[in-house]
Amino acid sequence: MAAPAQAASCTPDNACLYSDSDFTGYKRDDYNSLHNWENVTYPGSPSIPLYAGDNYIFNVSSLDNWDVDTRISVYRAPYFMGPCFKIANYGSVTNFAYITLSGGQNANDVMGGHRFGNQCSGTVYDS
């Protein structure tokens, strides 16, 4: 199967999480669901977590899903809680700023964890 048209060099069946929009900035290529982004850092940056408080500049801002048969649910709060949205299998979201969560909050730089699967009741995105 050919690589997705989105960002390059993500491992098949993994999620690639980026600190900036358009798959730029710090990158984490991960096979596992991560229930709390505060406890996980970007490789090569041991002091920079995926989430360090609302609106922190290095929080995850784009996500590339290279799993061909599984959606990824992205949650506002750790432990798969709060408002959420889904990223289509083999899909991506180039900028969380384009997503409005239930309740009206923008998803950019405020999300707290992700889970491989369709558990979230939110909208499915694929930019």
Side-chain angles (χ1 to χ4, degrees):
M1 180 171 283
Q6 59 263 34
S9 68
C10 219
T11 305
D13 294 326
N14 281 13
C16 281
L17 300 92
Y18 296 87
S19 63
D20 295 331
S21 62
D22 300 316
F23 314 122
T24 59
Y26 293 109
K27 173 185 169 185
R28 181 167 186 94
D29 188 340
D30 210 301
Y31 182 76
N32 299 305
S33 297
L34 299 172
H35 66 84
N36 187 351
W37 287 352
E38 282 183 276
N39 297 329
V40 180
T41 59
Y42 294 101
S45 307
S47 63
I48 301 176
L50 301 180
Y51 174 83
D54 286 358
N55 303 310
Y56 182 65
I57 193 168
F58 297 122
N59 288 351
V60 175
S61 294
S62 56
L63 195 151
D64 199 9
N65 179 7
W66 278 45
D67 193 313
V68 297
D69 55 9
T70 306
R71 291 177 175 167
I72 294 177
S73 296
V74 182
Y75 292 86
R76 169 68 179 92
Y79 302 99
F80 315 128
M81 310 253 323
C84 59
F85 63 90
K86 293 179 275 201
I87 299 175
N89 47 305
Y90 221 40
S92 62
V93 170
T94 59
N95 191 344
F96 285 10
Y98 299 144
I99 296 174
T100 302
L101 301 169
S102 61
Q105 184 179 26
N106 182 281
N108 194 45
D109 291 335
V110 299
M111 303 309 283
H114 76 280
R115 185 177 194 177
F116 284 86
N118 202 32
Q119 298 85 354
C120 170
S121 61
T123 303
V124 177
Y125 292 93
D126 185 7
S127 46

